Amino acid sequence: MKLMIKKLLAACLSRAGTCCPPGWLEDVVSMRLSSYLLDERILPRRAVSRPLRGTDVAVLCNPYIATHKRLFWCGRLEQKAIESYIRRELLPGDTFIDVGSNYGHLSILASCLIKPSGRVIGFEANNHLAKTLTDHLQAQGIENVQVHGFGLGDAEIADELLVDPKLPGQSFVRGTVREPDQDHSQVVACVIRMGDRVLEQQDLPGKVCLKVDVEGYEIPVLRGLRQSLLKRIHHAIIEVTPQWIGGAAGVRELLGIMGDAGFKAYQLRGDGRLGDEWRAELIDRQTDVIFRKE
């Protein structure tokens, strides 16, 4: 009987979930009821295609990944503030550079906002995941997104990713400050290329927005993009996690690289607008930081 109830509830939510209004009901569906339905007898543990609200495209999401739940059940990204910022800032003809594409949620949203003449260029060090995303894009006829199956850094090297085999989108480069753990037990070979060398070959139309979310590898990525930051990139969204980049010293270095290229760091408010200017000593936990040239 309990399994039958779960199946019925899952079927109802699957049909109505992307229509549920934002706010309290959306939170109930995505965060409370969804946990009750995490049963592999009714929801296989794999990424499936689900519609992204406000667009005519779908994204890949796995209901067992915490940051995918709201998207799977309600069609909205978990990173609500970043989604709001991107929807406000990206215009047709712009460029979005997605370093750490993962399942491509932000890349696909950006592709809708900047078409027909804009470009999305993604970089995903897990080549298998990059191919999965590329196949998904081709199946939907999304032509303005190009995903590269390598990572960016400050040198041309071969390295290794530590991957959670149950959640392939969750991985990090072995050489980071972040410590290995039992969940990230799968070792995957990867290639790292120097960012400036890659981007110098690319046409970057319009205003260029850079997003970096690479689980502790942010500083090498930015070191390798010094010239692009100085000359070609207009604003950036960077996940800053002190405990993964060397603590307070790492935060100072990251903000210093961006400051040398002419960027100021700003808080990202829940509605996607800019808040106060950040200082390095104020960032003591994982934070999405907006960098802009003013």
Side-chain angles (χ1 to χ4, degrees):
M1 179 62 73
K2 186 176 181 180
L3 181 59
M4 290 179 60
I5 293 173
K6 283 186 177 183
K7 288 182 177 179
L8 179 61
L9 184 55
C12 292
L13 291 178
S14 293
R15 293 189 181 96
T18 55
C19 299
C20 66
W24 177 83
L25 181 56
E26 181 180 292
D27 289 336
V28 169
V29 171
S30 63
M31 304 311 295
R32 298 185 183 181
L33 289 179
S34 64
S35 297
Y36 174 72
L37 296 173
L38 293 184
D39 185 328
E40 294 195 52
R41 293 172 296 178
I42 58 173
L43 288 177
R45 189 185 292 271
R46 64 171 183 263
V48 298
S49 182
R50 296 286 283 167
L52 176 61
R53 185 184 297 191
T55 73
D56 58 356
V57 297
V59 293
L60 290 172
C61 50
N62 184 333
Y64 291 85
I65 298 177
T67 54
H68 289 201
K69 286 184 178 181
R70 192 183 304 272
L71 181 53
F72 184 89
W73 294 108
C74 300
R76 294 168 62 86
L77 300 183
E78 181 66 27
Q79 300 164 300
K80 292 186 287 185
I82 293 179
E83 178 180 359
S84 296
Y85 177 83
I86 287 176
R87 287 184 182 273
R88 178 177 294 112
E89 295 291 335
L90 292 187
L91 299 174
D94 285 347
T95 295
F96 184 71
I97 301 172
D98 191 355
V99 184
S101 297
N102 208 294
Y103 282 95
H105 297 167
L106 293 177
S107 286
I108 291 175
L109 172 61
S111 77
C112 297
L113 300 172
I114 64 179
K115 64 182 182 183
S117 57
R119 293 192 66 198
V120 176
I121 307 171
F123 299 93
E124 174 49 54
N126 186 335
N127 187 58
H128 176 73
L129 186 56
K131 186 179 186 308
T132 297
L133 175 56
T134 297
D135 291 344
H136 176 71
L137 294 168
Q138 292 176 349
Q140 293 193 87
I142 299 175
E143 299 179 346
N144 64 343
V145 181
Q146 181 182 18
V147 181
H148 298 279
F150 56 82
L152 297 187
D154 55 356
E156 306 272 336
I157 59 174
D159 213 317
E160 293 179 334
L161 292 175
L162 301 182
V163 183
D164 184 338
K166 291 184 178 180
L167 307 172
Q170 297 187 8
S171 63
F172 59 94
V173 178
R174 183 189 287 278
T176 62
V177 174
R178 183 172 177 176
E179 292 293 329
D181 57 62
Q182 61 182 5
D183 291 332
H184 295 81
S185 58
Q186 183 179 3
V187 179
V188 176
C190 69
V191 173
I192 305 294
R193 296 186 59 189
M194 189 168 180
D196 280 332
R197 292 181 184 174
V198 174
L199 291 187
E200 69 183 4
Q201 306 169 22
Q202 300 284 342
D203 176 34
L204 307 180
K207 287 190 174 181
V208 180
C209 178
L210 169 71
K211 168 253 168 181
V212 183
D213 182 354
V214 285
E215 304 298 291
Y217 206 64
E218 285 79 11
I219 290 177
V221 169
L222 297 176
R223 286 176 184 156
L225 287 171
R226 289 184 189 272
Q227 291 303 310
S228 300
L229 289 167
L230 186 64
K231 299 177 181 180
R232 306 185 75 185
I233 293 169
H234 299 85
H235 55 132
I237 310 161
I238 300 175
E239 183 182 83
V240 181
T241 308
Q243 62 267 35
W244 292 347
I245 61 173
V251 175
R252 289 194 297 271
E253 180 178 359
L254 190 153
L255 265 64
I257 293 171
M258 299 302 290
D260 290 344
F263 290 89
K264 290 185 178 181
Y266 294 94
Q267 297 176 7
L268 177 62
R269 291 168 36 182
D271 62 358
R273 299 181 185 276
L274 299 184
D276 296 333
E277 189 172 342
W278 273 120
R279 300 194 308 274
E281 61 270 21
L282 298 177
I283 302 177
D284 60 0
R285 67 194 68 183
Q286 188 173 87
T287 305
D288 292 315
V289 180
I290 300 296
F291 292 90
R292 296 182 69 98
K293 290 179 179 177
E294 302 295 348

